[in-house]
Amino acid sequence: MAYGIWKIGFGNQSLISSNTNTLPGKLQQRSQRKSGQWIAVVLLLALLSIALILGHSSALLWAELSWSDFLLLLRLGSLVVVLLVAIAGIYSLVSQFAFWEGWLNGLPRPAEFFAQANQELAGSSGPAAVGLPSPYGRYLVYLDGIHQVEQDHPPLITEFLDTLEAGLPADTCLVRGLEAYTVMPGALIDEAGSSWFWQRVFALQQRHRSWLVQLLCAVLVQGNNVIKVGISSDRRYGPILNYELALKISLRLGKLGYGRGHELVLLGYSGGGEMALGVADYLRRICHAPVRIITCCGVFSGNQMLEGVERIHMLVGSRDPVASLGPLAYPGRSPLLPLSNWNRAKRQGFVQQVRIPGMSHNGPIGPFAPKYRLKVIQAILAILGGSTAESAERGSNSAGTPSASAGHR
Amino acid sequence: MESFLAQAEHRLSVLGNWLIHADLGLSLLLLVGLSISLSHIFALLANRLSVRQIVWQWVLDGLVLSLAFLLGYLIDMVLLSLYASRPVHPAQFLNGAGACLVPALAYILVAAPYIGDLIAVVIWAFVHLNVITFLHARFGLGYGEALLLTTPGFVLALVLVWIEFRQIWRTAYGKLASEISL
């Protein structure tokens, strides 16, 4: 029955919205009411802050500003910025945790994930079958950067993924269209409590003639995704958010016929690198499979549990200013903290870096641009080819030495 | 029996007078405790508590955290009277020290992801500097001496707050671990 509720919940999002007599419907209504109240509080605080600043600013301007007045304005402005960022982060958390409290009531245990999903695929009502045969031995999951708005990727990235998919070995399945910055299996535009806001933002972005308005809308979306990256890297909230995202990825893998034990490779671009590192250990436990991570121009904290990951490959452009900010934004990656999870992983040889000369973070010299696309794809294929060789070596070793492990730590 | 009742009445009236004189400090202590407790409300959500349970837990945690600060200030008072030989009126000290906790009223912002730790460090630093300045201004102590006398109480309050929240989050992660136990 729990699986039935889950399927209703995520097989058809609109069914939840229209049918409030079901448990998921009632839970979503409650979540929406709570979110509405939080929206009112956030708006009121923002209005008060703006009124305070404007009132103070106009008085100062009237009296002819001096240098000390400018400094005071600067201090007040900085304080307001910090307040707004903090409030936006807290509001984002509210929607996450209201979701956490309500969503998991109808979710089957991870131990039963793939058995039930494979039963659905096979149309069998017999005993749960673990690890039904799949044509793929490896699943490559792509997690997009903070520019991600919806399941469909931008044209450049779509071309990149098409080219990558064409070059993949026959036993590798590319999983794309995953929204890494929403926890519900739906688009940002459908998020409970904030859909009214995002619908307007997306409408403005698509129809407004002014490039400034379009830019502002894009910044708002990216700001939301940056907050999610911040939540993922936070030592308090990260474990829970990353678990939620791992469940979402597992659900998608189950729909694609994933069988336990098949290798998982997480390919994260920019902020997607943080999400990839966050979900890796959870996916390893849920899927009982080795997990490998490839970050492309990745921005990540390295605070996560990394001991269970097979290897982390970093594709870094020599002209990428954003990825190089990583150690500054996340002290755990700085060499000054040798005991951090990231630095321990580096010392143990789990981290491999591949530099691509001349490549930047995005734009005409970014990884998805025609100039560097093939280089990045070749690097990814080389990593996958290397992992295949390692898997084969592990297989032959385990055949010769019965006591050797099957690639799990 | 009558003398016992008279004594009890006298002591209660003394306590009542003291509470009235220390009302500002105690009120601020309580508000700060509630603010700090509110900053970790997501841990209560992660523990899957109901709304009523969350409210009760928030109030109880707030009282415990207020008690942590009160213990810290009691240590400050004892050290001040023992080692600095300054006369300390508890109600006046609490009112003054309670005012030093005003920055901690914004502790709820520590709930923000990523920047929460930075905000917490800034608030704790402000509070400690305020208490040091309070001792310097009210009791005529040098800054170095004030730092030495206030640090033990500050560290105790910090440790108690840390223990309180560590417990809440560990319980939440325990629930998470039980979900993914395979």
Side-chain angles (χ1 to χ4, degrees), chain A residues 83 85-86 89-90 93-94 97 100 104 109-111 231 233-237 239-240 243 282 285-286 288 329-330, chain B residues 39-40 42 45-46 48-49 51 108-117 119 169 172-173 176 178-182:
Chain A
L83 276 174
V85 167
I90 292 171
L93 274 169
V94 168
F97 278 88
W100 159 268
L104 291 180
R109 294 185 64 80
I231 294 174
S233 64
D234 191 291
R235 57 182 172 75
R236 295 165 296 177
Y237 311 128
I240 297 171
Y243 174 54
Y282 290 117
R285 293 165 192 262
I286 293 171
H288 287 277
Y330 297 111
Chain B
S39 71
H40 286 263
F42 295 108
L45 276 168
R48 318 265 194 91
L49 301 182
V51 174
I108 184 176
L109 297 177
V110 174
Y114 182 69
I115 62 172
D117 284 346
I119 294 175
W169 281 107
Y173 298 144
L176 180 61
S178 67
E179 283 290 329
I180 61 170
S181 58
L182 300 168

Side-chain angles (χ1 to χ4, degrees), chain A residues 30-201:
Chain A
R30 189 174 69 177
S31 172
Q32 282 176 341
R33 275 199 297 272
K34 283 183 192 172
S35 297
Q37 288 162 3
W38 275 105
I39 290 167
V41 168
V42 168
L43 282 175
L44 187 62
L45 284 171
L47 283 171
L48 281 172
S49 306
I50 291 167
L52 188 68
I53 289 294
L54 283 178
H56 195 76
S57 303
S58 60
L60 285 173
L61 282 170
W62 190 257
E64 211 171 55
L65 293 176
S66 65
W67 179 242
S68 59
D69 295 329
F70 274 118
L71 285 179
L72 182 62
L73 260 181
L74 196 62
R75 278 202 293 267
L76 280 174
S78 306
L79 184 62
V80 166
V81 167
V82 169
L83 276 174
L84 288 177
V85 167
I87 289 168
I90 292 171
Y91 173 69
S92 192
L93 274 169
V94 168
S95 62
Q96 296 291 324
F97 278 88
F99 164 80
W100 159 268
E101 194 255 329
W103 183 47
L104 291 180
N105 287 337
L107 198 68
R109 294 185 64 80
E112 301 156 13
F113 257 176
F114 301 110
Q116 289 178 336
N118 287 338
Q119 263 188 331
E120 282 287 308
L121 280 175
S124 165
S125 58
V130 176
L132 285 177
S134 165
Y136 303 109
R138 182 197 292 141
Y139 287 75
L140 176 62
V141 180
Y142 175 70
L143 300 171
D144 210 349
I146 60 169
H147 58 261
Q148 186 178 25
V149 171
E150 50 192 6
Q151 289 179 346
D152 296 330
H153 299 288
L156 265 183
I157 295 179
T158 302
E159 287 173 20
F160 172 86
L161 292 175
D162 288 341
T163 310
L164 174 62
E165 194 168 22
L168 287 175
D171 68 337
T172 303
C173 172
L174 177 64
V175 181
R176 56 184 178 177
L178 263 169
E179 296 196 319
Y181 305 99
T182 60
V183 187
M184 290 284 286
L188 182 61
I189 204 169
D190 295 323
E191 266 206 342
S194 58
S195 59
W196 64 273
F197 175 73
W198 294 115
Q199 284 169 5
R200 280 159 180 78
V201 168

